Every structure is written in C-alpha cells, then in structure tokens.
Amino acid sequence: MFERRLFHHLDWALVAALTALCGLGLAMIHSATADPSRAVSPLLVTQCYAVGLGVLAMLCTLVFDYRTFTDKSHVLYVALLALLLYVLFLGSVQMGARRWIPVGGFNLQPSEFAKIGVALALAKYFAEVRGAPRWTDLAVAGGITALPLLLIARQPDLGTAVTLLPVFLAVAYLAGMRMRILGYMALSLVLIAPVAWKFALKDYQKNRISTFIDPSQDARGAGYQQIQARITVGSGGLTGKGYRQGTQGQLRFLPVAHNDFIFSVLAEEQGFAGVIVALGLYLFVILRALETARLAKDRLGSYLVLGVLASFTFQVVYNITMSAGLAPVKGLTLPLMSYGGSSMIATLAGFGLVLNVRMRRFTN
C-alpha cells in the first residue's frame, strides 16, 4: 500500500507535463467541436469525464506497488483476452468495426488497455529470464504479444494492434535481444510484405497506402483526409489564426478533427509556436520516462516503464507525422490530446505505473 514518505518521491514535473497536455487537448477539442447553439459540446463533457476517470485510474496504478500488478499480470492478461474475445463476437459495431463494449452511457474499447496488459506480462516474463533471451524466450514473448494483436486486428483495428509491436521490441531489446535478431525480424517483414499486401490487407487499407503516395488520385475519397490535414497544418503559419479562428477545423473541412487530427487543429490555430510547445511537452514526458527506466531499482521496473513508453512514443510520432501528411492515414489517436475516453484512461493508467516505478526506486 501507499506509504506517506513515498509522496516526497513523486515526479511532480512529469505530473505537470501530463496535466498540461490534457488541458491542451481539452482546449483543442472544445475548439474543434464548438457549436454556436450550445455553450459546451457534449463531446467535451464526455472527454472531461474521461480525464477524471483517467486520474482515478492513475491513482489506482500509483498507490499499489508496481510489483503487485506484475505479480498478477497473468490474471490481467487473461482478463484482457476475454474482453477482446467478447468484443469480437458481442461488441458494439460502429463505422464498420466491432471494437466497443457499451458500459452505461460510455463505450469501452478494451484494445486501448492491451498496451498496458502486454507491457505488464512482458515485463514479468523477461524479468524472470536468466541472461540474454534465447530464441525460445523471444518466441514465448512473441506469442504473448501476438494473441491480443491478432484479436485486435480482427475487429478490425490494425492501427491499435500495431502499437503492441513497439512494446515487444523495446522490452526485448532492453532484456538483451541481440541486434542481429532485430535485423532478421526486419528482413522477414520486408520479405513478407508482398504476401501481406496480396492476402492480408483489406482493400481500404491498400487504398490508404496508395493514396498516401499520391493523394490526388482520389482527392474526394481516400485521399481527402490527407489533403485537408496538410492544408490545415500549413495554414497556421508562425503564430496561427487564433483560438477557434481556424477555417479548416471550424468549418469542418477536416473530418474527425477532434479525434485523429487534433494536432492539425492545434497547428492551424496556434501555428508553429503552439506546435513547438506541444512537441516540447511530449518530448519532456518521453525523456522523463526514459530517465525513470534508468533509475528503476530493478529490471522489472525498467522493463515495465519502457513497455508503457514504447507504445506511447510510437503513437505520438505516428499521429503527428500523419497529421502533417508524412504517413498514411490510420485511426491512431494522439495520446492525452485526442478525443477518446478509453485512450485517455489507459494512457493515464500507464503513466501511473511509470510514476510508481520512479517513486519506489528507494524502497526495498
């Protein structure tokens, strides 16, 4: 349980950066969903509730020793698989995908919590491996990652499924996986790519890749979002058009601006200056978490922090490059800023574990 003396070791700088990003996200969601007929958008109210629940989740993962969570990681992992199986057969269908479980007035997306579940399971597994992981160890860890990944991909939600790969690679690398093994994996992906293109990818996924190369070939269809995102980011200039003064976001030229393209709204309204502030906050969070992994008192803590951080960093980098038109459009939210209750709760719960590891670095 939480001891009062641990309070003095809490990383308040990281807490402040996380709070700033959440506040910035709420402000941008308010701007992107503004409705003249209402003082406050219902989406903003929902996101405020999500932030509150996320803070409670962070407190839960902070109060108990992180070793308590890793000791029960197998139970959490099985529960996660059960939820993903439930979603696959009985989940709510929205926009052609079955990803959600209705809970009261909210929709729970279990795939967002898979990143924490896999990070906990891999941290415990690799902490128990003696020496550098062998091929058999990597195969078992790969299986731990692959099960939820395949279930999520079947929803279909390939974007969220892919975020589990950085968790595996980061923890395995820190555990001692040799670089040549990583090279073999990269070569295998290159060789498998043509087969995946032919048999695994769906038509809409192929369209996203082809329109990324040349959005103009379907400017009113698959390439529309990418073109509008580029226009939105580029129109902000140095200082931006001002809060709630952007044309692309306010006039709804940019689809789902409050979700996948919240960073584009920020770039249009706050310009290059606002972008630098947001990037600076994300960079501080990432570097602070890396320092926590270095300061952790045991391998278990280091693996756990790096696992949580890997999916977070991948998602941040991909969403920002996607918003700038430098990556194919994929339904990946910008953590802590984009609209999405499950994403917010899962992200804050994950950083509760990061704070937990740093706070207990002096305990026995």
Side-chain angles (χ1 to χ4, degrees):
M1 289 293 295
F2 188 81
E3 300 176 26
R4 186 173 298 180
R5 63 187 177 87
L6 296 176
F7 181 82
H8 300 289
H9 301 301
L10 188 62
D11 189 354
W12 290 107
L14 179 56
V15 172
L18 295 172
T19 303
L21 285 170
C22 290
L24 186 59
L26 291 174
M28 290 299 102
I29 291 171
H30 176 56
S31 176
T33 60
D35 186 348
S37 63
R38 297 182 178 182
V40 179
S41 165
L43 294 176
L44 177 63
V45 175
T46 302
Q47 189 70 357
C48 288
Y49 279 120
V51 171
L53 291 173
V55 171
L56 290 177
M58 176 187 283
L59 291 175
C60 288
T61 55
L62 179 66
V63 167
F64 299 97
D65 194 311
Y66 63 90
R67 288 168 294 188
T68 302
F69 291 101
T70 53
D71 287 343
K72 302 296 181 182
S73 61
H74 58 288
V75 178
L76 298 174
Y77 182 80
V78 171
L80 170 67
L81 294 180
L83 285 174
L84 291 175
L85 284 170
Y86 179 89
V87 169
L88 202 58
F89 295 101
L90 301 173
S92 172
V93 178
Q94 299 179 28
M95 298 176 288
R98 193 185 297 272
R99 305 174 185 173
W100 297 273
I101 300 175
V103 179
F106 298 93
N107 286 320
L108 178 69
Q109 188 175 353
S111 58
E112 290 290 345
F113 298 89
K115 292 168 272 190
I116 301 177
V118 171
L120 285 167
L122 290 180
K124 180 183 180 182
Y125 177 76
F126 279 113
E128 294 173 350
V129 172
R130 300 291 182 181
R134 298 179 295 275
W135 280 102
T136 52
D137 300 322
L138 294 174
V140 173
I144 292 172
T145 308
L147 280 176
L149 187 152
L150 293 174
L151 289 174
I152 295 170
R154 287 284 297 171
Q155 294 179 358
D157 189 2
L158 186 60
T160 304
V162 169
T163 61
L164 299 183
L165 291 178
V167 179
F168 165 74
L169 292 175
V171 178
Y173 177 76
L174 186 63
M177 181 179 66
R178 295 176 181 178
M179 287 299 297
R180 73 165 181 265
I181 296 178
L182 191 60
Y184 292 151
M185 291 180 179
L187 180 60
S188 300
L189 289 176
V190 172
L191 296 175
I192 292 172
V195 179
W197 177 270
K198 182 69 176 179
F199 300 105
L201 294 182
K202 299 182 183 298
D203 290 338
Y204 76 91
Q205 293 169 335
K206 295 179 182 179
N207 287 338
R208 285 180 175 178
I209 296 174
S210 60
T211 51
F212 163 68
I213 298 172
D214 182 15
S216 62
Q217 68 180 352
D218 190 9
R220 295 186 178 182
Y224 180 79
Q225 285 181 310
Q226 189 168 348
I227 292 172
Q228 292 300 320
R230 288 179 179 177
I231 294 172
T232 305
V233 172
S235 65
L238 181 62
T239 58
K241 296 179 177 178
Y243 185 61
R244 296 184 62 181
Q245 300 301 314
T247 54
Q248 295 295 113
Q250 295 296 312
L251 299 179
R252 306 295 190 265
F253 286 110
L254 183 62
V256 291
H258 61 287
N259 191 272
D260 297 345
F261 293 99
I262 196 70
F263 191 80
S264 299
V265 177
L266 171 70
E268 182 185 32
E269 296 187 358
Q270 306 304 320
F272 182 72
V275 166
I276 289 298
V277 170
L279 291 179
L281 287 170
Y282 277 115
L283 182 60
F284 178 83
V285 168
I286 292 169
L287 293 178
R288 199 74 175 179
L290 282 174
E291 184 183 35
T292 298
R294 181 179 63 84
L295 295 174
K297 69 176 182 177
D298 53 17
R299 292 191 305 157
L300 179 64
S302 296
Y303 296 160
L304 178 58
V305 171
L306 204 62
V308 171
L309 181 62
S311 62
F312 174 83
T313 304
F314 173 80
Q315 209 164 329
V316 168
V317 172
Y318 192 92
N319 182 277
I320 291 174
T321 53
M322 178 188 74
S323 298
L326 301 176
V329 174
K330 195 64 193 163
L332 278 178
T333 59
L334 182 59
L336 302 176
M337 283 188 60
S338 291
Y339 174 81
S342 297
S343 174
M344 177 64 71
I345 295 169
T347 301
L348 290 178
F351 275 101
L353 292 172
V354 174
L355 292 167
N356 193 329
V357 172
R358 189 183 186 101
M359 187 175 62
R360 288 180 165 82
R361 65 190 186 276
F362 298 122
T363 60
N364 295 325

